[in-house]
Amino acid sequence: MGALFLHASVNVLNDYYDFIHGVDSPNSPTAVYRRQPLVMGTVSPSFIKNLGFSLIIAGATIGTYLTVMEGYLILALGLLGVFLLYAYTGPPFTLKYRGLGELSVALTWGPLLVSGFFVAASGGSLIPSVLLISLPPFFIMFSIIYANNYRDREYDAKAGIRTLAMLTAKYGYQIYMGSLITAYIINTALVITGMLPYTALSTLSTAALIPRLARAFRNNAHNIDARTGLLYTIYCLIYGAALMIPT
């Protein structure tokens, strides 16, 4: 629940700061396939801002409880997570606008989130192999944010921001596909080396979605980030289940 509240907070605050900085408008690519209350004028900026920070407080409250129950390692991971969530578009950091957004999101929803769950479940301990196990979700999450920013690159340029996808647009397709394929290579390598159970090979079935994603990326599909996000969701559900099945 704490992770859910914090995830919601960054989505809300991202919409708020993108609107305030003039990145989001009725003509922005994202508005083509999803409703944007701020852009549509159905809610006020102050309401969205207050909602975003309220969600951070709710997530942080749960994190405080876990700190008392599990130890201060949860606190350290939680504080880093909250910082990265806010700093994504929040001033004065605005990581998204400085070419660091893709990496910060991938770190948050890869190594940081997986490590936090492990610490909470293990009673306050963390082992190095957990970071390796978190790498496949890291690379798939990176591809989601990269695809989103690649699609928006021309529009974002007009807004005066610089994303990693803009800076590397010449190699956009290679970076997108490379990050997806790397996730599966690491997954397989971890099984071969014994760090993951052989049941984790079941995640390879989700690779069947990659050819369609490759075509969608080349065609600059307006919902490429959502489609890649679907892969991430299915992959992580299978990945998590594979780790829980006794072998």
Side-chain angles (χ1 to χ4, degrees), residues 20-247:
I20 293 298
H21 294 139
V23 177
D24 281 349
S25 74
N27 299 319
S28 59
T30 305
V32 172
Y33 76 96
R34 74 172 175 92
R35 297 172 64 85
Q36 291 183 299
L38 271 175
V39 173
M40 297 166 61
T42 55
V43 295
S44 67
S46 60
F47 173 82
I48 292 297
K49 182 179 181 180
N50 291 336
L51 175 60
F53 283 107
S54 296
L55 289 166
I56 287 181
I57 292 172
T61 301
I62 294 176
T64 301
Y65 168 77
L66 290 174
T67 297
V68 173
M69 298 298 295
E70 306 289 354
Y72 286 98
L73 186 52
I74 280 284
L75 177 63
L77 293 171
L79 289 176
L80 178 57
V82 169
F83 168 75
L84 289 175
L85 290 171
Y86 170 77
Y88 182 61
T89 49
F93 310 102
T94 58
L95 299 178
K96 174 183 175 180
Y97 306 153
R98 304 174 190 272
L100 297 172
E102 292 88 344
L103 183 60
S104 68
V105 171
L107 285 172
T108 302
W109 299 109
L112 191 59
L113 187 63
V114 173
S115 297
F117 274 120
F118 185 89
V119 171
S122 65
S125 64
L126 182 62
I127 56 178
S129 60
V130 172
L131 297 177
L132 292 175
I133 292 171
S134 73
L135 289 180
F138 165 86
F139 280 101
I140 299 178
M141 177 54 72
F142 176 86
S143 69
I144 297 173
I145 307 303
Y146 188 88
N148 176 83
N149 291 340
Y150 183 86
R151 178 203 59 206
D152 296 348
R153 64 193 184 284
E154 295 180 1
Y155 190 86
D156 287 346
K158 296 177 182 178
I161 67 175
R162 293 161 61 93
T163 64
L164 179 63
M166 291 169 58
L167 299 173
T168 60
K170 182 178 179 181
Y171 306 102
Y173 179 77
Q174 291 86 343
I175 292 174
Y176 174 74
M177 292 300 298
S179 59
L180 287 177
I181 294 171
T182 299
Y184 290 92
I185 292 175
I186 293 176
N187 189 140
T188 304
L190 291 175
V191 173
I192 294 173
T193 57
M195 287 190 179
L196 285 176
Y198 68 86
T199 52
L201 291 176
S202 58
T203 59
L204 300 183
S205 62
T206 62
L209 298 174
I210 291 182
R212 292 184 179 181
L213 291 175
R215 289 192 295 271
F217 188 92
R218 283 189 177 276
N219 295 330
N220 206 33
H222 66 273
N223 62 345
I224 181 61
D225 53 342
R227 293 172 68 169
T228 312
L230 178 61
L231 170 64
Y232 177 84
T233 301
I234 298 173
Y235 178 94
C236 287
L237 286 173
I238 297 175
Y239 198 52
L243 293 175
M244 292 187 289
I245 297 174
T247 57

